[in-house]
Amino acid sequence: MKIFLDTANIDDIKRFARIGIIDGVTTNPALVAREGRNFREAVEEICEIINGPVSAEVIGTTADVMVDEARKISKIHPNIVVKIPATPAGFEALGIVSKDGIKVNFTIVYTSNQALLAAKLGATYVSPFVGRLDANSTSGSDLIREIVTIYKNFNFQTQVLAASMRNVIYVKEAALAGVHVATIPPDILDQMMHNELTDISLKGFLNEWHKLPPEKRNYFDKD
Ligand code: E4P
């Protein structure tokens, strides 16, 4: 399973890229706006850091404007994947730009029928929003499982990109469902690496180690 970082924050992107744990980045208009930066400059900088897919979203709401923006955004960098929202106009735009060979992350998906149609129209990724669906009293993880099954049934090449991963359980459930990618915010990725029992266990090991006389703690002496 690939992991994308769900942020437009350059420091976080650099930090996780250095660890080597992320395969790409997703942004949305709200995430870019939160950084208070020029959209194009932010996207260009992210593409220079990450050697993998970087999702950048159209702002327009009509098919014509989305198509025009998608064509422009896709030219910013070869790694760009254009995010198009799952509205009726978005479906129309997806059909047109897919034929141009533009990679699309079809986003804000809440039903398996939206995902089915997006795959038929040639989306590279489809992004079901797990956390937001759960917040609306419907199981986001059930949706992910449905989409994975439908894509397997018909051998669609579209990749399931689990989004709105607002806690670590969502990530685990997405992995168990067999998604191709999960896009994860920095704080959730931090939580995935951290476990208190690991800290307590390590503390215990080192406490015992330091009871050894200094001359016996010669682990590295022969280096
Ligand atoms: C990613 O593509 C989405 O924009 C993001 O996961 C949305 O997350 P949120 O629902 O927590 O805002």
Side-chain angles (χ1 to χ4, degrees):
M1 185 179 88
K2 291 204 161 57
I3 290 180
F4 293 172
L5 195 65
D6 197 19
T7 186
N9 183 278
I10 298 295
D11 290 340
D12 282 329
I13 293 169
K14 283 185 177 163
R15 182 162 66 92
F16 286 107
R18 201 164 44 240
I19 297 172
I21 217 167
I22 53 173
D23 305 291
V25 167
T26 54
T27 68
N28 64 37
L31 290 174
V32 176
R34 220 169 277 164
E35 300 304 313
R37 297 202 46 199
N38 171 280
F39 172 85
R40 191 188 175 96
E41 282 172 16
V43 169
E44 280 173 345
E45 192 172 352
I46 295 168
C47 288
E48 289 310 315
I49 301 167
I50 287 292
N51 186 20
V54 174
S55 289
E57 190 161 339
V58 298
I59 306 298
T61 52
T62 64
D64 284 351
V65 177
M66 286 182 193
V67 168
D68 183 50
E69 290 180 355
R71 287 180 174 146
K72 287 177 181 150
I73 293 170
S74 68
K75 289 196 183 94
I76 294 177
H77 193 279
N79 288 353
I80 288 284
V81 176
V82 180
K83 258 179 151 182
I84 295 181
T87 59
F91 279 103
E92 197 181 331
L94 169 63
I96 295 167
V97 302
S98 289
K99 288 196 190 95
D100 292 351
I102 292 173
K103 288 188 178 158
V104 173
N105 172 355
F106 204 60
T107 188
I108 332 184
V109 163
Y110 288 107
T111 71
S112 44
N113 282 335
Q114 287 176 314
L116 170 65
L117 298 179
K120 284 186 74 72
L121 288 170
T124 303
Y125 301 98
V126 70
S127 287
F129 272 35
V130 174
R132 289 186 189 224
L133 201 53
D134 266 24
N136 208 31
S137 308
T138 305
S139 168
S141 293
D142 281 355
L143 172 63
I144 297 270
R145 282 189 285 272
E146 285 173 15
I147 299 172
V148 168
T149 302
I150 290 169
Y151 283 9
K152 277 191 185 146
N153 285 348
F154 301 103
N155 203 19
F156 282 123
Q157 296 309 298
T158 303
Q159 297 188 39
V160 183
L161 197 173
S164 192
M165 300 274 95
R166 294 179 173 184
N167 65 48
V168 294
I169 307 286
Y170 292 153
V171 180
K172 184 179 76 174
E173 288 179 347
L176 285 169
V179 298
H180 303 85
V181 191
T183 188
I184 306 173
D187 59 326
I188 303 299
L189 206 44
D190 274 322
Q191 284 179 41
M192 287 170 66
M193 289 192 287
H194 183 239
N195 187 287
E196 273 178 26
L197 287 178
T198 305
D199 295 344
I200 292 167
S201 302
L202 178 62
K203 202 172 167 201
F205 293 160
L206 294 179
N207 275 346
E208 300 243 8
W209 169 256
H210 286 290
K211 286 178 193 157
L212 261 183
E215 68 278 10
K216 291 188 176 167
R217 286 189 242 139
N218 59 351
Y219 230 22
F220 312 106
D221 276 2
K222 287 182 182 156
D223 290 348

